[in-house]
């Protein structure tokens, strides 16, 4: 299976905005102006001032885009700029957080209201806006984003740069203060206060909802909102803006249908996107999309079309002088030689050619994948695949450190399995990816008894339902690598959605991810043990057998470059030769890339 990791449209938007493309800057404003306005209004209480802050925020953002380290957090970065500017403006006027409820209640009455209507509603509106003014600024941010702008809790968390639980608490606290009928009046007033939308704003809102649903594995919602966006886009004149918006919506749609519907449907959508990009004539983006389309072809076992797409991409990157793009493409070409380890020598040559092109640039994930392949192939001891090959995996486990903990982001790379017995499934588990179903691998300040719920990846339209619980933070653990004290113990329970109507085949696939997982982290060492009792009957017990840490750490998951961990699936005796290794290849700011390589094959020689 060829894995291209998580798509991130914000990366493309930020990159094109940095070149000064007017259409991209307009898309940036259209995507985030509602959220930025809500934040500004929450702190200023004056529509005119809030609109001024919106304009100032985007002018500043375009100038300072080069300072944005993580494009995926573009929304929270913009909202942070708006919040800072709003507070500065209020301070300069010596009216810190001073709301004018009367002006707001009049301003939100709407242009179609007559004098009699205004008088009849004046007292109610004034009471509502006075109640909003009495909330804290952060509570106002939450209710204005939620009621006036229609954002869901998950998207609000991303825009505000806080955990979902924090958003829920702010909404709960606001509701507690606005008790009873007043809470419903506030919601109704804010919904009525939303300015009438033009077509562009409706398109951007549909795209925002589609992206948020896709990130949360809500495939059905992502498909619905991307289809909604495409229908609205059809009402635009045929110009560059329409084409760019179509590309955005189709990319989200392709991601949404990949697993629940099938790769062929996604491939057809990707081909449609390629046609639109060719119409624009943007060679760099065409090459990038050919990489992506080549992966689609490979996953559909169409090696001929996959190779043709990647070779065309390589030609374009050479013409552009893009070394990083050449390295990425050589990596994907190497994967095409590796199906069933058919041509390991040719594959190794591709990875070794790609590595120097990737090093020193921004392609840390692809660099980690190439290193994983090189170390895996050489670790097998020969370039002739041994008999009884069960598992081969060479990927990058991509992690991010956020204020609330360490998160699993994506896993580009390549792998295959040839499993004959259910028990052999334990040989194929990537414990970091499997633990990453909880979104956070390790949280900041977790305490025993803490629990939370989250949607998890699913092969059907409805996400799996995950419940995570911290069982202990000072547990003693004895495993293959020794005895460790002060361990963090986390339990994950994953069940299918009871209303899931996916195909029987896809629901069976989901059972392989459902069940109960236990994860132990040893302080200063990292992930020490992983067990899984799956709903399909699989039992796995994977333990740390050794580690190399370049410096002393007190973290439950130390991520300094060079740190390395080795694991073994227990209970197999000497039946298999197995290796599973993680090594941190880069750690810059909040991003961490781990090369993970794993293989298992039957032990050579006579077997009982």
């Amino acid at each position: 299976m060829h894995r291209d990791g998580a798509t991130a449209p914000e990366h493309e938007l930020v990159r094109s905005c940095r070149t000064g493309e007017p259409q991209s800057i307009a898309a940036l404003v259209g995507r985030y102006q509602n959220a930025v306005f809500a934040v500004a209004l929450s702190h200023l209480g004056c529509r005119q001032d809030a609109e001024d802050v919106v304009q100032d925020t985007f002018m500043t953002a375009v100038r300072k885009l080069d300072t944005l380290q993580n494009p995926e957090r573009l929304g929270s970065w913009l909202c942070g700029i708006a919040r800072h500017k709003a507070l500065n403006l209020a301070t300069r006027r010596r009216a810190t957080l001073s709301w004018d409820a009367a002006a707001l209640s009049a301003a939100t009455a709407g242009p179609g209201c007559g004098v009699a209507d205004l008088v009849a509603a004046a007292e109610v509106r004034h009471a509502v806006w006075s109640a909003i003014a009495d909330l804290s600024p952060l509570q106002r941010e939450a209710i204005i984003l939620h009621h006036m702008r229609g954002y869901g809790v998950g998207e609000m968390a991303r825009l505000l740069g806080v955990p979902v639980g924090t958003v829920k608490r702010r909404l709960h606290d606001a509701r507690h203060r606005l008790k009873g009928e007043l809470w419903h009046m506030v919601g109704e007033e804010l919904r009525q206060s939303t300015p009438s939308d033009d077509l562009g704003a409706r398109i951007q809102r549909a795209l925002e909802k589609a992206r948020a649903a896709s990130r949360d594995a809500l495939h059905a919602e992502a498909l619905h909102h991307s289809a909604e966006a495409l229908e609205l886009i059809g009402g635009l004149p045929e110009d560059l803006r329409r084409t760019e918006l179509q590309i955005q919506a189709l990319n989200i749609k392709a991601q949404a249908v990949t697993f629940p519907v099938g790769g062929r449907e996604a491939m057809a959508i990707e081909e449609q996107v390629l046609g639109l990009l060719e119409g624009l004539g943007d060679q760099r983006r065409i090459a990038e999309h050919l990489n992506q389309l080549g992966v689609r072809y490979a996953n559909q076992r169409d090696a001929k079309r996959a190779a043709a797409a990647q070779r065309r991409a390589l030609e374009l990157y050479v013409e552009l002088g893009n070394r990083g793009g050449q390295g990425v493409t050589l990596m994907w070409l190497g994967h095409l030689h590796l199906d069933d380890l058919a041509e390991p020598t040719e594959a190794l040559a591709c990875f070794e050619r790609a590595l120097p092109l990737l090093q020193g640039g921004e392609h840390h994930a692809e660099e980690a994948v190439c290193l994983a392949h090189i170390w895996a192939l050489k670790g097998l001891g020969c370039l002739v695949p041994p008999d009884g090959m069960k598992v081969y995996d060479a990927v990058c486990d991509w992690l991010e450190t956020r204020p609330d903990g360490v998160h699993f982001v994506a896993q580009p790379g390549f792998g295959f399995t040839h499993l004959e017995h259910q028990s052999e499934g334990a040989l194929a588990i990537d414990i970091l990816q499997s633990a990453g179903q909880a979104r956070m691998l390790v949280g900041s300040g977790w305490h025993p008894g803490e629990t939370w719920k989250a949607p998890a990846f699913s092969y059907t339209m409805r996400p799996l339902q995950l419940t995570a619980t911290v069982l202990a933070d000072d547990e003693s653990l004895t495993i293959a690598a020794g005895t460790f004290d002060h361990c963090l113990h986390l339990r994950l329970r994953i069940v299918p959605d009871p209303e899931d109507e996916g195909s029987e085949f896809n629901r069976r696939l989901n059972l392989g991810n459902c069940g109960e997982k236990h994860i132990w982290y040893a302080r200063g060492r990292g992930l020490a043990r992983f067990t899984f009792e799956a709903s399909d009957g699989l039992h796995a017990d994977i333990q740390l057998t050794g580690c190399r840490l370049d410096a002393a750490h007190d973290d439950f998951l130390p991520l300094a470059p060079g740190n390395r961990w080795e694991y073994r699936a227990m209970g197999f005796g000497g039946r298999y030769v197995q290796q599973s290794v993680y090594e941190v290849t880069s750690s810059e700011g909040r991003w961490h890339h781990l090369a993970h390589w794993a293989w298992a094959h039957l032990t050579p020689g006579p077997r009982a």
Side-chain angles (χ1 to χ4, degrees):
M1 171 71 75
H2 303 254
R3 283 162 275 186
D4 60 357
T7 59
E10 286 83 355
H11 280 86
E12 184 176 334
L13 180 61
V14 169
R15 181 168 48 201
S16 55
C17 283
R18 283 171 174 166
T19 66
E21 294 180 9
Q23 293 291 340
S24 299
I25 294 171
L28 171 72
V29 174
R31 184 179 300 182
Y32 290 107
Q33 63 183 348
N34 282 340
V36 169
F37 175 81
V39 169
L41 181 63
S42 301
H43 291 271
L44 289 167
C46 171
R47 283 181 173 274
Q48 184 174 349
D49 286 346
E51 290 168 357
D52 290 343
V53 165
V54 170
Q55 182 176 351
D56 194 18
T57 294
F58 285 108
M59 291 175 64
T60 299
V62 170
R63 291 197 307 269
K64 295 187 175 182
L65 269 176
D66 288 339
T67 68
L68 176 60
Q69 296 181 352
N70 179 4
E72 289 183 353
R73 304 192 73 175
L74 175 61
S76 61
W77 182 69
L78 289 168
C79 287
I81 294 174
R83 187 180 299 111
H84 178 73
K85 289 183 177 294
L87 292 172
N88 281 348
L89 178 59
T91 301
R92 286 199 306 272
R93 294 186 174 178
R94 298 181 180 179
T96 306
L97 308 183
S98 176
W99 272 49
D100 186 348
L104 278 166
S105 61
T108 58
C113 295
V115 174
D117 295 321
L118 287 173
V119 171
E123 290 187 6
V124 173
R125 287 202 177 94
H126 189 274
V128 167
W129 284 100
S130 294
I132 295 172
D134 287 339
L135 298 174
S136 74
L138 296 180
Q139 291 169 355
R140 289 199 295 265
E141 283 186 355
I143 66 166
I144 290 176
L145 280 167
H146 186 60
H147 288 299
M148 182 184 280
R149 297 304 182 182
Y151 288 101
V153 171
E155 189 64 10
M156 288 166 63
R158 280 182 283 272
L159 289 168
L160 298 175
V162 299
V164 168
T166 301
V167 173
K168 289 181 177 179
R169 187 174 66 251
R170 290 175 186 173
L171 286 171
H172 176 271
D173 292 346
R175 184 168 188 165
H176 181 72
R177 294 189 64 180
L178 302 170
K179 293 180 180 179
E181 184 65 22
L182 187 56
W183 167 258
H184 299 291
M185 291 167 59
V186 165
E188 185 62 26
E189 171 67 13
L190 287 174
R191 283 189 289 273
Q192 292 178 358
S193 301
T194 304
S196 58
D197 294 326
D198 62 15
L199 181 58
R202 292 164 63 197
I203 291 169
Q204 290 299 338
R205 188 160 60 251
L207 288 172
E208 287 173 11
K209 291 179 178 179
R211 290 188 191 94
S214 181
R215 282 190 291 260
D216 287 339
L218 303 173
H219 304 308
E221 290 186 24
L223 191 58
H224 169 75
H225 291 303
S226 59
E228 177 189 3
L230 285 167
E231 183 177 354
L232 292 169
I233 291 166
L236 294 173
E238 294 188 6
D239 57 12
L240 176 62
R241 181 190 180 211
R242 172 175 169 167
T243 302
E244 291 286 2
L245 290 170
Q246 284 178 313
I247 290 170
Q248 291 180 42
L250 288 169
N251 277 330
I252 299 169
K253 183 178 180 181
Q255 190 75 9
V257 304
T258 297
F259 292 103
V261 179
R264 292 195 179 279
E265 289 79 359
M267 193 166 63
I269 297 170
E270 299 278 15
E271 289 171 341
Q272 187 179 350
V273 172
L274 179 62
L276 293 171
L277 288 170
E278 288 174 335
L280 295 178
D282 188 328
Q283 300 296 86
R284 175 186 58 78
R285 292 170 66 190
I286 291 171
E288 290 175 351
H289 197 74
L290 283 167
N291 286 149
Q292 187 172 321
L293 188 56
V295 173
R296 295 279 189 194
Y297 290 141
N299 285 336
Q300 294 300 312
R301 313 297 291 182
D302 191 340
K304 184 176 180 180
R305 293 174 78 186
Q310 300 295 0
R311 291 194 182 104
R312 184 184 166 199
L314 185 60
E315 291 173 359
L316 289 174
Y317 283 128
V318 170
E319 291 175 9
L320 294 167
N322 187 324
R323 288 173 53 84
Q326 294 171 49
V328 171
T329 308
L330 285 167
M331 179 196 75
W332 292 121
L333 285 169
H335 290 167
L336 295 177
H337 291 294
L338 268 186
D339 276 344
D340 300 329
L341 288 184
E343 299 173 327
T345 303
E346 293 85 345
L348 182 62
C350 283
F351 300 133
E352 290 181 331
R353 283 179 61 197
L355 189 58
L357 295 169
L358 296 168
Q359 289 173 325
E362 60 182 17
H363 298 284
H364 300 298
E366 291 83 359
E367 178 185 344
V369 172
C370 286
L371 286 169
H373 278 298
I374 292 168
W375 292 333
L377 290 169
K378 292 184 175 180
L380 283 168
C382 63
L383 291 178
V384 178
D387 293 333
M389 197 73 187
K390 297 294 182 181
V391 174
Y392 178 91
D393 224 10
V395 300
C396 168
D397 285 326
W398 185 354
L399 312 182
E400 179 188 8
T401 299
R402 302 180 189 172
D404 59 348
V406 179
H407 290 243
F408 189 93
V409 177
Q411 190 196 63
F414 170 89
F416 68 81
T417 60
H418 292 300
L419 308 178
E420 299 177 60
H421 308 289
Q422 187 181 57
S423 61
E424 292 176 337
L427 299 168
I429 293 176
D430 181 333
I431 57 176
L432 279 184
Q433 182 196 39
S434 192
Q437 275 190 287
R439 305 298 178 91
M440 275 192 294
L441 291 166
V442 179
S444 301
W446 275 354
H447 56 272
E450 186 172 353
T451 186
W452 68 96
K453 297 180 183 292
F457 172 80
S458 170
Y459 288 97
T460 64
M461 285 293 183
R462 302 185 74 90
L464 300 178
Q465 299 176 351
L466 180 146
T467 302
T469 304
V470 180
L471 298 180
D473 62 0
D474 196 23
E475 192 168 310
S476 181
L477 178 69
T478 299
I479 55 171
T483 298
F484 302 96
D485 296 322
H486 313 299
C487 292
L488 179 70
H489 183 185
L490 180 68
R491 180 185 67 206
L492 307 181
R493 285 178 174 161
I494 306 104
V495 297
D497 190 308
E499 299 181 6
D500 198 339
E501 298 178 353
S503 69
E504 183 179 351
F505 175 76
N506 282 17
R507 283 187 279 118
R508 284 202 307 270
L509 287 176
N510 272 346
L511 286 179
N513 286 326
C514 291
E516 183 164 306
K517 302 177 182 180
H518 287 258
I519 305 140
W520 288 263
Y521 295 93
R523 188 176 291 280
R525 290 292 187 273
L527 201 160
R529 187 183 185 191
F530 174 95
T531 66
F532 185 23
E533 296 289 344
S535 298
D536 63 0
L538 171 69
H539 168 76
D541 183 1
I542 301 171
Q543 299 183 14
L544 179 71
T545 57
C547 62
R548 182 192 70 206
L549 304 178
D550 287 352
H553 296 271
D554 194 41
D555 297 337
F556 282 117
L557 189 58
L559 293 170
N563 285 359
R564 174 181 171 129
W565 301 265
E566 298 185 16
Y567 297 89
R568 177 175 294 276
M570 312 307 289
F572 290 100
R575 286 177 291 161
Y576 302 92
V577 179
Q578 55 173 303
Q579 183 179 61
S580 179
V581 183
Y582 297 81
E583 181 167 329
V584 182
T585 56
S586 69
S587 186
E588 295 188 3
R590 62 172 64 90
W591 299 112
H592 314 280
H593 299 89
L594 285 73
H596 170 51
W597 65 103
W599 43 260
H601 60 82
L602 291 170
T603 301
R607 290 182 295 274

